[in-house]
Amino acid sequence: MIIAIDGPAASGKGTLGKKLAAHYGLRHLDTGLLYRAVAKRVMDAGRRADDVAAAVAAAKTLDPAAFDEAALKTPAVGEAASVVSAIAEVRAALVTLQRDFAAKPPGAVLDGRDIGTVICPDADVKIYVTATPEVRARRRAAEYRANGRDITDAGVLADILKRDERDRNRAAAPLKQAPDAHLLDTTHLDIDAAIRAAIDIVEATRAGRGRD
Ligand code: DC
C-alpha cells in the first residue's frame, strides 16, 4: 500500500506520516527532508539558494542515509528549501529516489507537497492535510521553543505565509490538493484525533476499493 500525504508547511503531515506508517507497518519518507538537505548543502557551500547549478549538483548526489534531521529542521533551512524546491531540475533529480522508495514492498507513506499529484499519482490513499496558518504557526513555534529556539508565533506565521505563497505559486509541481485526495483539516483536532481521522480515511478508501 502507498499512502500519499500532502499539505502546507507545519500542517502536521510529518507526524501523521510517521504514525500512519507505524500503524500499517509501512516505511515512511518525509520528502521535505530531501529539499532541506539540498538547501543545506547549497548554504554550507556558501552559495545562494537560487543558485541553480549548485542546487542541482547537490540534488544529484544526496545521501538520505546521512541526513542529520535536527540540522535540517531549522527555520533558515526550511526557507531555503522552499527556494531550491521551485527549481524544476532539482525536483527532477529527486523523482526516482522517491518513486523507488514508494515501490519497495510492503509499501510506504510519503509526505510532501506533490506526492499525490506528481510522485505517486496512483497511490492507494491520498490525504491532503491542512489547518489555518495561525494554528500551524502556533504548533510549529511551540515545537521550536521546546527545542530551545527563541522564536515567536508571529515570526513563524510570517515565515509560513511566505513559504505557502511560494510553494503554491511556483510553476514546477506546486502544492495543491489532488482531485482524488481526501481533505483532512486538523485546525480543531489534536494529534490523536488527527491520526484517528487519517486511519478512518485509509480504512474507508480500502473498503471502498475492496482491498484487504
Ligand atoms: O515539509 P517541509 O517544511 O520540510 O518542506 C520544506 C520545503 O520543501 C517546502 O517549503 C517545499 C519543499 N517541498 C517540496 O517542494 N516538495 C515536497 N514533496 C516536499 C517539500
Side-chain angles (χ1 to χ4, degrees):
M1 174 164 66
I2 295 174
I3 302 178
I5 305 180
D6 290 300
S11 55
K13 55 191 188 312
T15 307
L16 269 181
K18 212 175 282 172
K19 300 268 186 187
L20 274 185
H23 183 84
Y24 287 107
L26 301 170
R27 291 162 318 115
H28 172 235
L29 180 63
D30 171 353
T31 64
L33 288 179
L34 303 176
Y35 295 95
R36 285 172 181 265
V38 171
K40 176 96 174 36
R41 287 182 65 182
V42 171
M43 291 161 76
D44 288 350
R47 312 300 279 265
R48 288 166 44 119
D50 61 358
D51 182 327
V52 174
V56 172
K60 285 186 172 161
T61 53
L62 271 196
D63 176 11
F67 284 178
D68 172 356
E69 216 174 303
L72 298 178
K73 294 224 157 165
T74 69
V77 174
E79 169 65 19
S82 174
V83 175
V84 300
S85 69
I87 301 170
E89 299 96 306
V90 167
R91 307 198 69 82
L94 299 174
V95 167
T96 305
L97 189 159
Q98 295 174 83
R99 289 195 180 141
D100 286 353
F101 187 94
K104 273 204 198 98
V109 180
L110 282 78
D111 70 76
R113 302 292 188 291
D114 63 339
I115 308 303
T117 52
V118 174
I119 301 297
C120 301
D122 297 326
D124 300 276
V125 186
K126 298 181 187 179
I127 304 177
Y128 188 86
V129 189
T130 191
T132 63
E134 290 74 16
V135 165
R136 288 188 278 129
R138 203 179 317 136
R139 289 178 188 155
R140 180 54 55 87
E143 231 172 75
Y144 283 144
R145 285 194 291 265
N147 289 324
R149 206 175 288 276
D150 181 21
I151 204 156
T152 63
D153 289 9
V156 177
L157 178 60
D159 171 61
I160 277 180
L161 290 174
K162 195 159 121 198
R163 282 217 279 147
D164 281 1
E165 155 83 15
R166 195 187 288 120
D167 296 347
R168 287 194 173 111
N169 295 312
R170 67 186 180 212
L175 168 65
K176 63 172 182 242
Q177 185 177 349
D180 53 346
H182 300 266
L183 181 67
L184 176 52
D185 186 336
T186 68
T187 301
H188 303 293
L189 302 180
D190 64 18
I191 186 62
D192 288 339
I195 291 158
R196 279 198 302 275
I199 291 172
D200 283 351
I201 289 170
V202 175
E203 293 304 318
T205 308
R206 295 214 296 184
R209 289 188 184 170
R211 287 172 189 275
D212 55 21

